[in-house]
Amino acid sequence: MSQSKANATPLLQVRNLKKHFPIKGGLFGRTVGHVKAVDGIDLSVHDGETLGLVGESGCGKSTAGRTMIRLYEPTAGEITFNDPQSGPMRLERAGLADLRRVWTNMQMIFQDPFSSLDPRMSVGRIIGEPLTVHGIATGSELRDRVGELLRRVGLRPEHQSRYPHAFSGGQRQRIGIARALALNPKLVICDEPVSALDVSVQAQVLNLLEDLQDEFNLTFLFIAHDLSVVEHISDRVAVMYVGYVVEVAPTDELFRNPLMPYTEALISAIPPPNPRRRGRPMKLAGEVPSPSNPPTGCYFHPRCAYAADLCKVERPPLREVTPGHFAACHFAEKLSLRGIDGPMPAIDGSTAVPASPQA
Amino acid sequence: MNRRPVHVLFTIDCEPAGRTSQLGPSDWDVGVRALDAFLTTVRNAGFEPTVFATPEVVDAHAILFEEVPTSGGEVGLLLSPGSLRDARHRAHVGALRAEQQAEILRHAVERFADAYGRRPLSARTTHFSASDETFAVIADAGFRQSSISNPGRVVPKYHARWDGALPGPHFAHPADRLAEGSLPLLEIPVTTDPMQRRDGIAPELRIENGTVSEWHAPLVRAQLARQFTSGERWPTLVFVTTTRQPFYDRTSRVRQTAEGLADLLESLEADYDLVPATPSRLHATVASA
């Protein structure tokens, strides 16, 4: 991302965003605790960029995305969307009428292309529904616009008469993308959009998203657990751990010079390349702590090879360690962590991934 | 170390959804989810899926089927008289006379081509049902490959009698389903262990059978050893499954088994040269040898 983008007013900004889910228990179903799925994150997404949000399964990244777009009610914090038409809007306090208006500029692409499309609706109705609901198009104009959207995502206009069960997962994800683009939004939150697809289809969908970003001047918040995917598409990357953002940096900087031991651990867990077997899952040693009962101090300290006494008692804030590179580690300036020294593995797993100590 | 190639085929049988078929999924959406997840799992393991589908299934999931060959894989015909719409004969293939088999095959191929845009070149029958004339009928209909035999299986009610069948890929015989012959049709048997047959069923590389450690790994190792000891010309591992299986559920046993098979095959790479194959690719390899 260019410096001018970094200095511009963010398109979306969240401050101390929290989403806690109550745990019910006991005879009367009382709240006996909370799952702190998102526990105070600060993030900015700039116009035209792709911000990758990465972390292990269960770290709260999808919940964060859904809370930012107000599919979930936030427990606390601020969400500011700089609406191109009406200016800044605080989403955490917006009513349904305002949200409906802002949702024309904020859309979401979901992880599971099977459960996200209504099997009883034709593809034409699925994609055209936002246009109908907002009174933008009807009749032959609606069919033409849906046909054009299908063409833009690599499907054929005649597919609008078919039902979702005619399509593969990758094709369904293209339908989901077409639906998300129907209202010409500014920001699209992509919630693991390729994780259910095979690796060759993943690359096709990622390339499509990049092409559409250029064509429609889109901004992406791209949520994923696969570092290769995030590296491929992101301008900047934010790393999440147990409901908290622990590192944010431009993509190349983050992968080559990680400042947070968790990021180093994620990079080291990238599976070695195998030209035949692709898309193998990343396996990181140790268990992710429960977000209902996280450790004291730095949440990563029980798994951290560099943890000191301070880490057990004091949670480090996310702070700017070098220009544009933020990390939540007490020892970010002192540690010499291993990044990636060569090219990242391609999404098809074909490129070598030599990880070597930093100079 | 023996590094002769072993051709690995992952095949899935796709019957129509609902009550028209005992072997199909509960509904079309479940079926397409199972099929898509199977394709994804096999491709991510580095292999190429082979989909045997009835014309009804090809029609229902038409746009998905367009993608199969372009993403690596092959689509063949699953001949299932019991679930074929407007079919004049409902008996299992092996119970039909040759002219009846030819008639129903013609009907199925036409419907398949209408839905898919081209004729299938590979075939399987449901329940591995066949008579001595079946291979000749299939070859006459223009098919180049089949995967119908299940060596060791003897299930009379399905007309599946494969006791003494050849265990490896071979050109089919026009009048003897168990023999090698001169037909231009390469028959690729499902991998089984006929010596361990029980109640008419030989253990086979069916993904949903047992666990990898207790079922598939011993079977794979034993059959590879047998093939190399016996000098099998085209060693193969042919896996089978159906869209009734919930591959879409990451926590299901069958999904975990499929992923476990990827680990098993990767562990064999030190000793064997595992070659991703489909029926037509294997035929091309055999033909060019």
Side-chain angles (χ1 to χ4, degrees), chain B residues 45-209:
Chain B
F47 297 94
E48 296 189 6
T50 299
V51 184
F52 289 111
T54 69
E56 291 79 8
V57 177
V58 177
D59 190 35
H61 310 320
I63 322 299
L64 179 153
F65 276 95
E66 284 178 14
E67 194 180 67
V68 172
T70 57
S71 297
E74 182 173 344
V75 180
L77 172 72
L78 180 66
L79 186 58
S80 175
S83 62
L84 185 62
R85 205 180 306 143
D86 304 328
R88 285 182 57 193
H89 309 290
R90 294 287 175 193
H92 295 293
V93 171
L96 299 173
R97 296 194 308 275
E99 60 270 25
Q100 292 172 322
Q101 291 183 27
E103 181 188 340
I104 202 162
L105 190 59
R106 207 162 37 242
H107 179 55
V109 167
E110 279 172 15
R111 295 206 43 225
F112 187 104
D114 283 346
Y116 188 54
R118 69 186 98 154
R119 294 167 62 90
L121 295 175
S122 300
R124 174 175 285 165
T125 60
T126 46
H127 298 294
F128 306 102
S129 181
S131 66
D132 277 336
E133 296 81 22
T134 299
F135 289 124
V137 169
I138 288 174
D140 283 350
F143 285 85
R144 303 287 319 282
Q145 303 83 217
S146 59
S147 181
I148 298 174
S149 59
N150 188 307
R153 173 179 286 236
V154 180
V155 184
K157 71 175 178 177
Y158 295 139
H159 295 262
R161 295 187 177 87
W162 297 106
D163 205 10
L166 294 168
H170 58 277
F171 287 100
H173 192 283
D176 182 351
R177 67 185 178 280
L178 304 179
E180 183 157 16
S182 56
L183 288 173
L185 179 84
L186 185 73
E187 163 60 17
I188 306 162
V190 172
T191 303
T192 65
D193 185 353
M195 307 301 288
Q196 306 296 324
R197 184 175 65 204
R198 202 177 282 179
D199 298 328
I201 306 288
E204 61 190 9
L205 284 182
R206 183 165 290 281
I207 296 175
E208 57 269 30
N209 279 6

Side-chain angles (χ1 to χ4, degrees), chain A residues 106-188:
Chain A
M106 292 176 80
Q107 289 287 313
M108 192 148 187
I109 300 167
F110 295 94
Q111 176 178 4
D112 183 353
F114 286 91
S115 60
S116 62
L117 303 182
D118 187 337
R120 295 159 301 183
M121 288 171 71
S122 69
V123 166
R125 274 190 66 198
I126 289 169
I127 296 173
E129 192 175 41
L131 296 165
T132 310
V133 166
H134 287 86
I136 293 169
T138 57
S140 61
E141 187 192 356
L142 179 66
R143 279 192 297 279
D144 289 348
R145 289 183 74 152
V146 170
E148 178 60 15
L149 283 163
L150 281 166
R151 199 186 57 74
R152 293 268 176 104
V153 298
L155 296 171
R156 298 198 296 271
E158 61 266 32
H159 288 159
Q160 58 186 303
S161 62
R162 303 298 299 242
Y163 284 79
H165 70 241
F167 297 84
S168 70
Q171 292 164 336
R172 284 179 184 225
Q173 205 54 293
R174 290 172 187 266
I175 294 167
I177 292 167
R179 179 178 59 183
L181 297 184
L183 295 174
N184 200 17
K186 287 296 293 176
L187 173 69
V188 180

Side-chain angles (χ1 to χ4, degrees), chain A residues 1 36-37 43 45 50-51 58 152 169 171 178 193-194 211 221 224 277 291 322 342 348:
Chain A
M1 191 181 57
K36 297 173 182 174
L43 271 181
V45 188
T50 298
L51 176 67
R152 293 268 176 104
Q171 292 164 336
V194 298
D211 291 346
L221 175 63
R277 195 172 170 199
T322 59
D348 65 4

